[in-house]
Each structure stands twice: as structure tokens, then as C-alpha cells.
Amino acid sequence: GAGVSQSPSNKVTEKGKDVELRCDPISGHTALYWYRQSLGQGLEFLIYFQGNSAPDKSGLPSDRFSAERTGGSVSTLTIQRTQQEDSAVYLCASSLARADNSPLHFGNGTRLTVT
Amino acid sequence: RKEVEQDPGPFNVPEGATVAFNCTYSNSASQSFFWYRQDCRKEPKLLMSVYSSGNEDGRFTAQLNRASQYISLLIRDSKLSDSATYLCVVNGFQKLVFGTGTRLLVSP
């Protein structure tokens, strides 16, 4: 079946512009994560959605970052007034049922470059 | 203390060698453990889950030590294609937490 789909795969934007990144999880997966990864670095947790529960936003680096998940499926990550340090690969992952005993399936990521 | 800690490496080993990585975790209530593999400029992919009794998948063996709160990954007969970053994943406080990864380089 289809895996986790992210779009766009690449995004180049000017400093100060807003960007929206989209994640379409595997059908039926209730848990959805956003991570970002800078070149040569580990995964940095951003936000976690689990079913209808309030999202865990503890990893969002600033109030310029926000995310929503409509209808328990597609999620969008929005970065307002982008800065050069926002340049990274943004990875979305989903898992089945309870996130704490199910492995994650990752999308291919969105490579964001802020010029 | 970080929730999940790994030695970043790199571990440089010749083909055919046996190599082992450890990963320590801080939450003693953690119940789920995984090893992921990430190739350069690619997304992480599940390598194997880690079960309490330990488990093996071909050349790969995973172990869990609850008393000392660490998991390990053993790779036997290393291949060039094993070169990658290996990520330890543990369920923390209601969500999965990734280590920063251990880089493995297998040379001819």
C-alpha cells in the first residue's frame, strides 16, 4: 500500500516568507510525528499528534512554527517568517494505533532551503 | 540527562568484522524499543524491534538490558552495505524518542 507522502519534496524560499509543508500519513495510522534534521545532525522532535488528543507541541522551536492535523489524517506544518536557520529536512512519520508500541513509517521528507 | 543517548561514532570496521552499538535510555518505564537505519540523505527505516528476550534477524542481533537501561545492536560479518547511521528509538513519556545515531563505516 501507499506509504507516508510528503510534499513538496524540495522547497526554496526567501527569508521572511511563510511556508507550508504537507504530510499524508498511511491510512488508518492515528499517530503522526513531525521531525526536522539538519545536515549531519540527529532527528529533532517537533510535534506529535495522537488520535483526537491534544498534540504534544513541546518540540516546536518557536512560535513561528505551528502544525495542524485535520480530520485525523493529513497534517500541515507551517513556518512563518522563515529564517536561514530553519533550513533542514522536515520529516513526517506515522504509526498504527498507540504510538508507543508501533514502529514509525517515515515519508521522504521535505528539504527546505531558506535563502 | 538526555532521554536516549548513543555514541555518535563513527565506528570504522573492515568487511567481515563484528560490531556492536549500545544505547542508554532514562525512562525506566519504557516498554518499546527499536533500531532504525538511516542512509545518507534518506529517511530512517525500521531495522528491527527489540524484544525483552532478545531477538535476531540474520546477521543482526538486538538485546535489551532493563536493569542497566540499555539496548544493544550487534552486527556480524559486516558488509559494505551496512554503512549507515543506526538510530536507537525508545518510547519515552507518551511518545517515541530518537537517539542522535551511531555512524558505521564498513571498509573493504
Side-chain angles (χ1 to χ4, degrees), chain B residues 15 37 39 59-60 78-84 86 104 106:
Chain B
E15 268 188 295
R37 170 192 170 128
D39 292 288
R59 298 182 293 108
F60 299 84
S78 299
K79 311 292 185 190
L80 296 177
S81 57
D82 293 335
S83 296
Y86 291 84
L104 172 65
V106 182

Side-chain angles (χ1 to χ4, degrees), chain A residues 33 35 37 39 41-43 45 48 56 58 91 95 99-109 111, chain B residues 31-34 36 38 41-46 49 87 89 91 93-101:
Chain A
Y33 291 76
Y35 294 89
Q37 189 171 33
L39 191 62
Q41 302 298 310
L43 273 73
F45 166 75
Y48 162 53
D56 178 345
S58 60
L91 290 162
S95 70
D100 61 356
N101 61 9
S102 300
L104 294 179
H105 300 263
F106 281 85
N108 292 334
R111 185 174 302 279
Chain B
Q31 295 294 321
S32 301
F33 308 89
F34 308 94
Y36 278 71
Q38 186 173 26
R41 301 174 79 85
K42 298 285 189 181
E43 75 277 15
K45 293 187 177 178
L46 179 66
S49 301
L87 302 166
V89 185
N91 75 308
F93 297 96
Q94 300 185 350
K95 64 180 183 284
L96 291 174
V97 180
F98 280 75
T100 52

Side-chain angles (χ1 to χ4, degrees), chain B residues 4-23:
Chain B
V4 178
E5 293 200 68
Q6 295 183 251
D7 181 343
F11 284 56
N12 291 285
V13 302
E15 268 188 295
T18 295
V19 62
F21 312 132
N22 278 351
C23 165

